[in-house]
Amino acid sequence: MATSSKKNAGTETVSLDALVQQKRAALPEPTPYELFGVEFTLPPMRGLPWELQEKVGDLNDTMAVIGEVLGKDKVRELYGVGIQLGDLEVLALDWQRRSGLEPGESKASSTS
């Protein structure tokens, strides 16, 4: 697992591109879900874009993360079928498990 490097005026820059690509390739596939007739797909948690942190403020706020990932229209559709907080908890735990995370493991942990 070699990384290439570039020399700039006596300093070495280590390229992490190959390592990052390997880690991305090892991510699980997105998971399609169906909840009370509403279909949606969630990507693996470690595959979420970094900018999501700025949008929701706290990646441990699962409700905000799910809402942002699904988008306003899908969230309204879920409201329409009477989704409850407990239902989101079931979804969040399953999504976490299918993403390869242990229950309670932060999506922004140092191992991500």
Side-chain angles (χ1 to χ4, degrees):
M1 187 181 332
T3 60
S4 63
S5 61
K6 300 175 189 173
K7 291 195 178 206
N8 292 331
T11 61
E12 183 178 5
T13 302
V14 177
S15 174
L16 299 174
D17 295 350
L19 294 173
V20 166
Q21 289 302 330
Q22 276 184 324
K23 185 138 182 151
R24 287 182 180 190
L27 288 172
E29 291 296 315
T31 302
Y33 286 99
E34 184 269 326
L35 180 60
F36 300 123
V38 177
E39 294 182 4
F40 53 92
T41 299
L42 294 175
M45 289 179 171
R46 286 192 173 124
L48 293 172
W50 188 16
E51 66 214 19
L52 190 65
Q53 174 75 40
E54 185 177 314
K55 290 179 181 178
V56 299
D58 180 3
L59 291 178
N60 290 313
D61 182 352
T62 307
M63 308 304 179
V65 171
I66 290 173
E68 189 64 37
V69 170
L70 292 179
K72 292 178 184 179
D73 291 340
K74 193 58 69 172
V75 168
R76 274 192 223 104
E77 197 175 342
L78 287 166
Y79 288 164
V81 296
I83 194 167
Q84 299 176 351
L85 291 176
D87 305 336
L88 283 179
E89 182 180 3
V90 170
L91 170 60
L93 289 172
D94 189 77
W95 184 30
Q96 196 171 28
R97 181 182 62 79
R98 291 177 188 274
S99 292
L101 302 175
E102 294 296 320
E105 184 178 345
S106 170
K107 285 137 315 274
S109 74
S110 60
T111 61
S112 1

